[in-house]
Amino acid sequence: DADVTQTPRNRITKTGKRIMLECSQTKGHDRMYWYRQDPGLGLRLIYYSFDVKDINKGEISDGYSVSRQAQAKFSLSLESAIPNQTALYFCATSGVSSHEQYFGPGTRLTVT
Amino acid sequence: RKEVEQDPGPFNVPEGATVAFNCTYSNSASQSFFWYRQDCRKEPKLLMSVYSSGNEDGRFTAQLNRASQYISLLIRDSKLSDSATYLCVVHSSNDYKLSFGAGTTVTVRA
């Protein structure tokens, strides 16, 4: 089984809808991250969490919120989806002393 | 200016060739450097860390030039399986995030 899983893998939704992307990990890592990837822009950090009680905004947090339900779970919500949130979303984890991040398989989100 | 900039390519090379490419970073306080590999529509995976003295991992060689603020990756004896996008990643000591380049695409042809 994969160490980092994301659900759903693909989602098409309409403008204005609320949507949640979920991430689970079995690596036992404290640190978890949400990124979006757009062509030509690279991965951009949306939110990150260093433990269950720690939530931090990344460089592009507007329009997004997160919840760290447990060490193993970190969900990303789009409160009111808009078309420019169409992107590939990745969840990642890392250990406390490691900068190596382990990524989930990604969620391809399309907002129409 | 982007924190990490890469030539997007694509670099189209025949099997067995050597291919090399660089990335530049803007934050002189950057401490740690990495190359990640991303296959089409898949998740990025760590290829190798980049050390100040340069390092090799099989056919892959990474170099760091702090004075000019660039990192390089060289692939020798290219294989078809090396076809991927290579992401340059930089970590700064004054924050906790990794900064990703947009990637350099390499296509190895038979």
Side-chain angles (χ1 to χ4, degrees), chain A residues 5 10 22-23 27 48 50 53 57 64 69-70 75 81 99:
Chain A
T5 57
N10 290 282
E22 299 188 353
C23 175
K27 298 192 73 67
Y48 62 99
F50 284 172
K53 297 180 182 179
K57 292 182 178 181
Y64 302 94
Q69 300 95 325
S75 60
H99 302 310

Side-chain angles (χ1 to χ4, degrees), chain A residues 5-108:
Chain A
T5 57
Q6 291 183 233
T7 56
R9 294 294 311 279
N10 290 282
R11 180 72 182 266
I12 300 173
T13 192
K14 293 185 183 298
T15 298
K17 294 291 187 182
R18 184 177 189 275
I19 182 168
M20 180 182 289
L21 310 183
E22 299 188 353
C23 175
S24 294
Q25 53 110 347
T26 58
K27 298 192 73 67
H29 288 163
D30 286 322
R31 298 185 175 189
M32 298 187 73
Y33 311 82
W34 274 105
Y35 294 92
R36 64 177 281 176
Q37 187 174 37
D38 299 276
L41 292 180
L43 286 156
R44 291 182 292 166
L45 184 64
I46 305 172
Y47 271 95
Y48 62 99
S49 168
F50 284 172
D51 64 42
V52 175
K53 297 180 182 179
D54 177 75
I55 300 289
N56 303 281
K57 292 182 178 181
E59 57 187 296
I60 54 163
S61 58
D62 287 348
Y64 302 94
S65 62
V66 291
S67 174
R68 185 80 184 267
Q69 300 95 325
Q71 186 204 37
K73 295 183 182 298
F74 191 36
S75 60
L76 175 73
S77 294
L78 287 67
E79 298 303 325
S80 178
I82 56 177
N84 77 359
Q85 291 178 312
T86 293
L88 183 56
Y89 289 84
F90 286 106
C91 172
T93 75
S94 72
V96 173
S97 60
S98 170
H99 302 310
E100 178 177 0
Q101 294 189 7
Y102 297 84
F103 286 81
T107 295
R108 187 164 298 277

Side-chain angles (χ1 to χ4, degrees), chain B residues 58-100:
Chain B
R59 298 180 293 105
F60 296 83
T61 300
Q63 295 279 353
L64 168 63
N65 185 317
R66 285 189 185 272
S68 300
Q69 295 184 206
Y70 76 82
I71 306 143
S72 65
L73 182 66
L74 182 146
I75 307 173
R76 286 187 303 278
D77 188 22
S78 299
K79 311 292 184 191
L80 294 175
S81 58
D82 294 333
S83 296
T85 297
Y86 293 86
L87 308 179
C88 177
V89 183
V90 173
H91 175 262
S92 299
S93 60
N94 55 356
D95 65 32
Y96 294 100
K97 70 180 181 69
L98 297 180
S99 296
F100 288 80

Side-chain angles (χ1 to χ4, degrees), chain B residues 13-98:
Chain B
V13 300
E15 266 187 301
T18 295
V19 59
F21 42 90
N22 296 336
C23 93
T24 57
Y25 59 95
S26 60
N27 186 348
S28 59
S30 298
Q31 292 282 329
S32 307
F33 308 90
F34 310 90
W35 284 103
Y36 276 67
R37 172 195 169 122
Q38 185 174 24
D39 293 313
C40 187
R41 295 176 177 264
K42 298 286 186 68
E43 70 273 23
K45 294 183 180 180
L46 179 66
L47 177 66
M48 59 195 301
S49 301
V50 185
Y51 303 120
S52 296
S53 56
N55 50 296
E56 281 189 16
D57 184 358
R59 298 180 293 105
F60 296 83
T61 300
Q63 295 279 353
L64 168 63
N65 185 317
R66 285 189 185 272
S68 300
Q69 295 184 206
Y70 76 82
I71 306 143
S72 65
L73 182 66
L74 182 146
I75 307 173
R76 286 187 303 278
D77 188 22
S78 299
K79 311 292 184 191
L80 294 175
S81 58
D82 294 333
S83 296
T85 297
Y86 293 86
L87 308 179
C88 177
V89 183
V90 173
H91 175 262
S92 299
S93 60
N94 55 356
D95 65 32
Y96 294 100
K97 70 180 181 69
L98 297 180

